[in-house]
Every structure is written in structure tokens, then in C-alpha cells.
Amino acid sequence: MTSQLYKANTRGTADFGWLQANFSFSFGNYFNPERVQFGMLRVLNDDTIAAGAGFGTHGHANMEIITIPLEGGLMHKDSMGNEGIIRFGEVQVMSAGSGVEHSEMNASKTERTKTLQLWVFPDTEEVTPRYDQKSFDLEQHKNTFINVVSPKDQNDGNALWVHQKTFFNLGIFDENTAVNHPIQIPNNGVYLFLIEGEIEINNQILTARDAIGITATTAIDIKINSTAKILLIEVPMQQ
């Protein structure tokens, strides 16, 4: 196993007043040549959006976009005719493919919202754009990972799917527990983002918003030191 720890306070940041953003990888005006992507994972933005604010209509193409609300609600509207609000426990996927426009606004006029948005390079370009969202009961499945996103050809119908050999897993874990997570596809890497809590992996301690990139392993052992919410992403390291 090889691993690299990324502390939360080393991420790129931006303060636009209505948006407080943290960038795990180079994005917008933040550029770090050592943090452009992790394999096919290109973006992991940790955003806090002020009440009544958000991202106006803008376009995407040839990217798999996964949005995970952490607090509050996010209102989505796109050029495919989809419109709705997603909240914690729900996950949204959008295959931008040949091109799509959408907006993302805080659904509340009085409370902030917090979201994670991730972009993954697709294994097939110029596909017909598509959208989907689904609710997952994380509280009822504590101390195990729930697969929320998987490849189209390896999807059991319980997870959302995307055009890439990637697996997104979410879990809530109790203090003083442990989990062993096997790699689904040989030679894939894992990018683990700790949403809340404290955990230990490969003799390294992670606290809230830290991340770790792991390669050259067939499984990952995680020790939960305090109640934790974890996003674990398995992704190809090359196309």
C-alpha cells in the first residue's frame, strides 16, 4: 500500500461572500500542480452556500458530476427539464456528456447549505446527457459502507450509475469500531474524504475534512476513533 495524507488546511480556498469554497484539487483561480486530480477524480469541492444564493445557469460537457448535500437543501434545475431539491442522505448524478446547462441554488432563504460536488472524467465521451438522484438511509446502516454510485455495467440497481469504473461509498461509523473495505477493481485507487470525526488508516490520523489517497492495495482497514462520516471513492488511476 502507498498512501498520501492531505490535511484539510492545505486545500485551496475561495471566499465570494455568498460562497465559501474549499478545493481538494486545482479549480478556478486555485492551481496547485501537485493537486490537479487523483486518477480520474478531477474535482472535490466542499462548498458552503449562503441563504438565497447559488450558482446560476452554467454549462458542462463530458464530465460525470456527483453532488452530495451535507446540510440544508440544494435546488437543481437543468436544460433536460429536471427540477428538484436534494438534502443530506440523497445523492445526485449528472452525466454532462454532449452538453447540459443547470443551476444550483440554496433552497432556503434563511439558512446556509453545505455540499460536496465531485467531478469524474467519463470513460465514454459525447454521451446523451442524463440526470438521476436517490435517497440512501445511512443512519439505518451504520458501521458499513453503502454503495451510492457505481459503474453502469456493475450496478446492482441499488446505486446510481455513471460512465466510469468508479464506486462512491458513504458511511456513518460509531466510535471504536473498525471496517475493512475491499477494492472492487484491481489497480483502482481510493480517495477517502473524512466528512466528520477522527479515523486512522495506515498509521495516519485523519480529522474532519482531511483526505487520503491510497494505491497499490487490495483492501483498506479503517479504525474509527470517534463517530465519523466517510466518503470513500474508488477510481481508476488512468483511463
Side-chain angles (χ1 to χ4, degrees), residues 90-110:
E90 295 180 290
V91 178
Q92 175 196 91
V93 298
M94 188 172 70
S95 298
S98 57
V100 66
E101 293 189 340
H102 74 148
S103 61
E104 300 159 293
M105 306 296 294
N106 187 338
S108 173
K109 300 298 183 183
T110 59

Side-chain angles (χ1 to χ4, degrees), residues 14-21 48-51 53-54 112:
D15 183 350
F16 297 103
W18 64 272
L19 171 68
Q20 310 292 320
T48 299
I49 304 170
R112 70 185 183 185

Side-chain angles (χ1 to χ4, degrees), residues 151-173:
K152 182 178 182 180
D153 63 353
Q154 292 181 254
N155 189 288
D156 60 7
N158 294 317
L160 299 164
W161 64 266
V162 292
H163 296 280
Q164 185 51 272
K165 302 295 186 185
T166 185
F167 299 84
F168 279 55
N169 305 278
L170 284 169
I172 299 176
F173 297 87

Side-chain angles (χ1 to χ4, degrees), residues 118-184:
L118 303 99
W119 299 3
V120 176
F121 289 111
D123 56 17
T124 305
E125 294 191 344
E126 299 301 309
V127 299
T128 300
R130 55 178 291 274
Y131 172 93
D132 203 357
Q133 69 181 68
K134 186 171 182 177
S135 178
F136 299 89
D137 195 342
L138 302 179
E139 290 285 351
Q140 289 298 315
H141 297 86
K142 278 189 174 182
N143 301 318
T144 187
F145 280 112
I146 296 178
N147 177 225
V148 298
V149 176
S150 62
K152 182 178 182 180
D153 63 353
Q154 292 181 254
N155 189 288
D156 60 7
N158 294 317
L160 299 164
W161 64 266
V162 292
H163 296 280
Q164 185 51 272
K165 302 295 186 185
T166 185
F167 299 84
F168 279 55
N169 305 278
L170 284 169
I172 299 176
F173 297 87
D174 290 327
E175 183 178 2
N176 297 323
T177 57
V179 61
N180 174 271
H181 183 79
I183 305 303
Q184 300 299 308

Side-chain angles (χ1 to χ4, degrees), residues 21-232:
N22 294 277
F23 309 125
S24 294
F25 305 103
S26 296
F27 191 88
N29 292 330
Y30 166 66
F31 178 72
N32 181 339
E34 296 181 355
R35 297 190 188 180
V36 175
Q37 63 194 81
F38 179 83
M40 294 297 100
L41 177 62
R42 174 61 187 86
V43 166
L44 196 170
N45 290 352
D46 180 6
D47 294 334
T48 299
I49 304 170
F55 301 92
T57 301
H58 58 284
H60 295 284
N62 293 318
M63 195 67 72
E64 303 296 300
I65 300 172
I66 297 93
T67 304
I68 303 171
L70 301 179
E71 178 183 314
L74 191 70
M75 181 180 295
H76 168 95
K77 186 175 182 179
D78 65 43
S79 55
M80 295 177 283
N82 301 294
E83 185 172 356
I85 297 173
I86 55 172
R87 304 184 186 278
F88 178 73
E90 295 180 290
V91 178
Q92 175 196 91
V93 298
M94 188 172 70
S95 298
S98 57
V100 66
E101 293 189 340
H102 74 148
S103 61
E104 300 159 293
M105 306 296 294
N106 187 338
S108 173
K109 300 298 183 183
T110 59
E111 303 291 335
R112 70 185 183 185
T113 186
K114 293 188 175 186
T115 65
L116 300 178
Q117 186 166 98
L118 303 99
W119 299 3
V120 176
F121 289 111
D123 56 17
T124 305
E125 294 191 344
E126 299 301 309
V127 299
T128 300
R130 55 178 291 274
Y131 172 93
D132 203 357
Q133 69 181 68
K134 186 171 182 177
S135 178
F136 299 89
D137 195 342
L138 302 179
E139 290 285 351
Q140 289 298 315
H141 297 86
K142 278 189 174 182
N143 301 318
T144 187
F145 280 112
I146 296 178
N147 177 225
V148 298
V149 176
S150 62
K152 182 178 182 180
D153 63 353
Q154 292 181 254
N155 189 288
D156 60 7
N158 294 317
L160 299 164
W161 64 266
V162 292
H163 296 280
Q164 185 51 272
K165 302 295 186 185
T166 185
F167 299 84
F168 279 55
N169 305 278
L170 284 169
I172 299 176
F173 297 87
D174 290 327
E175 183 178 2
N176 297 323
T177 57
V179 61
N180 174 271
H181 183 79
I183 305 303
Q184 300 299 308
I185 299 177
N187 300 318
N188 270 7
V190 165
Y191 193 88
L192 184 149
F193 182 80
L194 181 59
I195 300 169
E196 295 178 11
E198 181 182 301
I199 64 174
E200 183 177 344
I201 301 175
N202 202 24
N203 298 316
Q204 298 184 86
I205 299 293
L206 284 76
T207 55
R209 276 14 190 220
D210 289 350
I212 189 169
I214 299 169
T215 56
T217 188
T218 58
I220 297 171
D221 289 305
I222 306 169
K223 178 183 176 184
I224 313 299
N225 293 337
S226 67
T227 302
K229 292 180 181 177
I230 303 173
L231 170 62
L232 187 151

